[in-house]
Amino acid sequence: MDYSDLRRQAAYMKKSLFDQGYLDEQFYQLEDLQDDVSPNFVEEVVTLFFKDSSRLLSNIEQALEKNSPDFQKLDSLTHQLKGSTSSIGALKVKNECTLLREYCNKENLDGCFRTFQKVKREHAILRQKLEAYFQLLRQIGPAEGASRPVI
């Protein structure tokens, strides 16, 4: 595959992430912070997000598995996760976190369980899609692919 094909494929991948509601405008703002000094800034921030959010997901899961869950703690953990998702523009995960917080506030354990499964699923899908996107950008190279937004 030649260079222009890779660029078109990367542009299409990113556009589809927005069109399908996985990302919002915050992702563009992250890209605006990327420059020649830190050509992999967005990928580094997203990598840190997935490391931190995986820890938070584990903590939420542990809190949900307790005999008598502390809904305030669940809400606090979910609030942290929602903030992290907002910072990278992870729209679908953020929306599921909003719903999970509503169930926490109502102390609806079944709703919390169901919605948490959706949070985990959307998180995993986003991770897979962004990993593929960044892998493609690495093939394009830092000079062109990573220093400026593809679209």
Side-chain angles (χ1 to χ4, degrees):
M1 195 177 291
D2 75 3
Y3 179 77
S4 61
D5 287 340
L6 289 173
R7 285 192 53 76
R8 273 193 295 280
Q9 186 178 352
Y12 176 78
M13 282 178 86
K14 184 166 77 171
K15 183 180 183 318
S16 71
L17 286 167
F18 281 88
D19 291 347
Q20 295 171 14
Y22 286 101
L23 296 176
D24 65 20
E25 294 298 315
Q26 182 62 32
F27 192 81
Y28 289 132
Q29 291 180 17
L30 275 181
E31 288 181 323
D32 287 343
L33 298 173
Q34 189 163 280
D35 58 21
D36 293 336
V37 176
S38 55
N40 300 316
F41 177 76
V42 176
E43 184 175 6
E44 291 167 6
V45 168
V46 169
T47 299
L48 288 172
F49 160 76
F50 281 114
K51 182 179 179 182
D52 185 55
S53 61
S54 294
R55 177 189 54 79
L56 285 168
L57 287 171
S58 177
N59 290 345
I60 292 169
E61 192 159 40
Q62 289 172 8
L64 276 171
E65 290 173 351
K66 293 191 176 185
N67 288 337
S68 179
D70 179 345
F71 287 101
Q72 285 186 321
K73 181 178 180 180
L74 272 170
D75 182 58
S76 176
L77 291 167
T78 305
H79 178 71
Q80 290 175 50
L81 180 59
K82 183 181 174 188
S84 294
T85 61
S86 294
S87 71
I88 68 156
L91 183 60
K92 280 191 177 188
V93 180
K94 180 182 81 170
N95 290 342
E96 291 299 334
C97 286
T98 298
L99 189 56
L100 179 55
R101 290 193 71 203
E102 289 174 16
Y103 283 120
C104 288
N105 289 326
K106 294 176 184 174
E107 297 190 3
N108 180 333
L109 189 56
D110 288 338
C112 286
F113 272 116
R114 281 192 317 274
T115 306
F116 179 65
Q117 295 309 312
K118 290 179 185 176
V119 169
K120 287 195 318 184
R121 183 173 53 247
E122 293 300 343
H123 183 269
I125 291 169
L126 180 65
R127 176 181 232 146
Q128 180 182 34
K129 288 180 179 285
L130 285 176
E131 284 174 354
Y133 174 67
F134 288 123
Q135 181 178 6
L136 186 58
L137 287 183
R138 285 191 298 275
Q139 290 176 17
I140 294 170
E144 231 4 81
S147 64
R148 293 303 322 147
V150 177
I151 293 180

